[in-house]
């Protein structure tokens, strides 16, 4: 295989363990990647501010399912939903009787209704480090540069939310991001497109990229990557397009695969040095 120079890592269900924490064995691998000239880019539906709080400002990031791209502390690209699309989403959700809450995501802050369910706020603490409670979401749409609309439904996002949103917003990108989440991004915006854009910015060919993922919002990411890695716990549709199946996130599959790759890359480097 072509060893990657840019590796995109999904978070929940992929890199993070069962407690939504970064495995301790990842941090030495991050240092090894830097020494080998490999760029590690967390690629998540999570907010950029949340990812930067987890990993620091110096990494490259694909945040908000590809609608915000950052490199070394600077946002280098965003994709914005038209205001009318956001209004259509909010209008369509009025017909949903199952309990749910909405987050309007800008590049720097997530807006949520101050009347949201307490369980929603518990979830937001994990995913939206920078957030603001507001009295009326509709009042925040105009002029806010909404890059993503996230909908939380504990009863099941794929069953209760996705069908309504697919019908209301056929012209934009709707992704089932987890059992309880649906994300809506601008047409053409997804993790895969963001990976391609980041690779171009860094002067890396797409063949020299790799991506790890577990759920449907990672589908385009794995499609685009030079080497597609699905976790053992991944959605069946991701496994169908994967080049490699890694052990599950609970078994630290990302750590296992990266260690194997980096060991082989280091061995090649040492062989080249010895032959000079």
């Amino acid at each position: 295989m072509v060893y990657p120079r840019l590796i995109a890592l999904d978070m929940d269900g992929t890199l993070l363990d069962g407690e939504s924490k970064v495995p301790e064995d990842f941090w030495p691998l991050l240092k090894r990647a830097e020494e080998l000239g490999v760029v590690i880019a967390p690629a998540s539906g999570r907010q950029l501010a949340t990812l930067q709080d987890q990993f620091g400002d110096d990494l490259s990031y694909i945040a908000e399912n590809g609608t915000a791209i950052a490199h070394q502390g600077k946002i280098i690209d965003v994709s914005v939903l038209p205001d009318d699309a956001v209004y259509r989403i909010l209008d369509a959700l009025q017909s949903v009787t199952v309990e749910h809450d909405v987050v309007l995501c800008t590049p720097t802050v997530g807006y949520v209704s101050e009347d949201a369910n307490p369980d929603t706020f518990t979830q937001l603490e994990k995913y939206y480090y920078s957030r603001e409670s507001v009295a009326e979401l509709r009042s925040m749409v105009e002029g806010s540069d909404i890059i993503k609309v996230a909908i939380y439904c504990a009863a099941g996002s794929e069953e209760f939310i996705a069908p309504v949103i697919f019908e209301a917003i056929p012209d934009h990108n709707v992704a089932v991001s987890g059992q309880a989440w649906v994300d809506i991004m601008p047409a053409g915006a997804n993790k895969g497109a963001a990976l391609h854009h980041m690779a171009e910015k860094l002067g890396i060919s797409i063949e020299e990229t790799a991506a790890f993922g577990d759920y449907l919002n990672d589908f385009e990411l794995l499609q685009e990557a030079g080497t597609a890695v699905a976790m053992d716990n991944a959605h069946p549709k991701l496994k169908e397009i994967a080049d490699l199946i890694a052990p599950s996130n609970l078994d630290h599959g990302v750590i296992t695969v990266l260690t194997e790759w980096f060991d082989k890359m280091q061995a090649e480097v040492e062989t080249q040095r010895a032959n000079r």
Side-chain angles (χ1 to χ4, degrees):
M1 64 171 286
V2 176
Y3 290 112
R5 296 173 55 205
L6 170 60
I7 302 173
L9 302 176
D10 175 56
M11 295 290 103
D12 296 279
T14 301
L15 174 63
L16 305 185
D17 63 20
E19 298 179 352
S20 295
K21 294 181 179 179
V22 178
E24 285 301 316
D25 288 345
F26 174 72
W27 303 111
L29 285 175
L30 194 58
K31 182 174 176 59
R32 287 189 71 186
E34 182 179 356
E35 293 170 349
L36 290 166
V38 176
V39 176
I40 298 289
S44 177
R46 293 182 180 224
Q47 184 184 52
L48 177 59
T50 304
L51 295 173
Q52 290 174 327
D53 182 64
Q54 287 180 292
F55 298 96
D57 292 337
D58 293 337
L59 294 188
S60 298
Y61 293 102
I62 295 171
E64 303 280 21
N65 277 335
T67 59
I69 305 172
H71 179 61
Q72 295 181 344
K74 295 182 179 180
I75 296 175
I76 59 176
D77 190 61
V78 296
S79 301
V80 178
L81 273 166
D83 290 350
D84 77 283
V86 181
Y87 288 128
R88 276 188 283 149
I89 294 166
L90 296 177
D91 290 342
L93 288 172
Q94 292 182 12
S95 68
V96 178
T97 57
V98 174
E99 189 166 9
H100 63 278
D101 286 301
V102 177
V103 186
L104 300 182
C105 309
T106 78
T108 57
V109 65
Y111 295 113
V112 62
S113 172
E114 58 190 20
D115 296 328
N117 188 292
D119 180 52
T120 301
F121 285 105
T122 299
Q123 296 297 319
L124 294 182
E125 289 177 2
K126 293 192 295 183
Y127 302 116
Y128 294 94
Y129 180 81
S130 173
R131 61 189 183 275
E132 183 177 332
S133 299
V134 297
E136 175 54 55
L137 284 177
R138 295 182 73 91
S139 67
M140 306 308 300
V141 176
E142 189 172 350
S144 291
D145 285 344
I146 305 300
I147 60 175
K148 186 186 79 175
V149 177
I151 305 162
Y152 176 73
C153 178
S157 62
E158 192 167 7
E159 179 180 359
F160 295 107
I161 303 298
V164 175
I165 299 302
F166 277 121
E167 182 176 353
I169 312 291
D171 49 338
H172 291 286
N173 184 17
V174 181
V176 179
S177 300
Q179 189 276 330
W181 288 97
V182 168
D183 291 335
I184 305 99
M185 290 77 63
N190 55 62
K191 291 184 183 180
L195 176 66
H196 200 285
H197 184 74
M198 179 177 286
E200 287 182 344
K201 287 282 188 180
L202 299 179
I204 296 172
S205 70
I206 201 66
E207 291 77 18
E208 295 177 297
T209 68
F212 291 69
D214 77 301
Y215 219 76
L216 295 176
N217 62 323
D218 301 315
F219 191 87
E220 294 90 349
L221 179 65
L222 267 62
Q223 268 190 324
E224 189 69 25
T227 301
V229 186
M231 310 306 292
D232 189 57
N233 52 289
H235 193 287
K237 290 185 178 179
L238 261 69
K239 290 184 175 181
E240 290 176 2
I241 64 169
D243 299 306
L244 174 67
I245 305 298
S248 77
N249 67 308
L250 299 182
D251 293 324
H252 298 181
V254 170
I255 307 298
T256 299
V257 174
L258 290 186
T259 298
E260 179 181 339
W261 286 356
F262 291 173
D263 284 349
K264 291 180 178 178
M265 293 169 72
Q266 185 65 45
E268 288 187 6
V269 169
E270 292 175 357
T271 299
Q272 291 172 0
R273 287 175 180 168
N275 292 334
R276 287 177 183 172

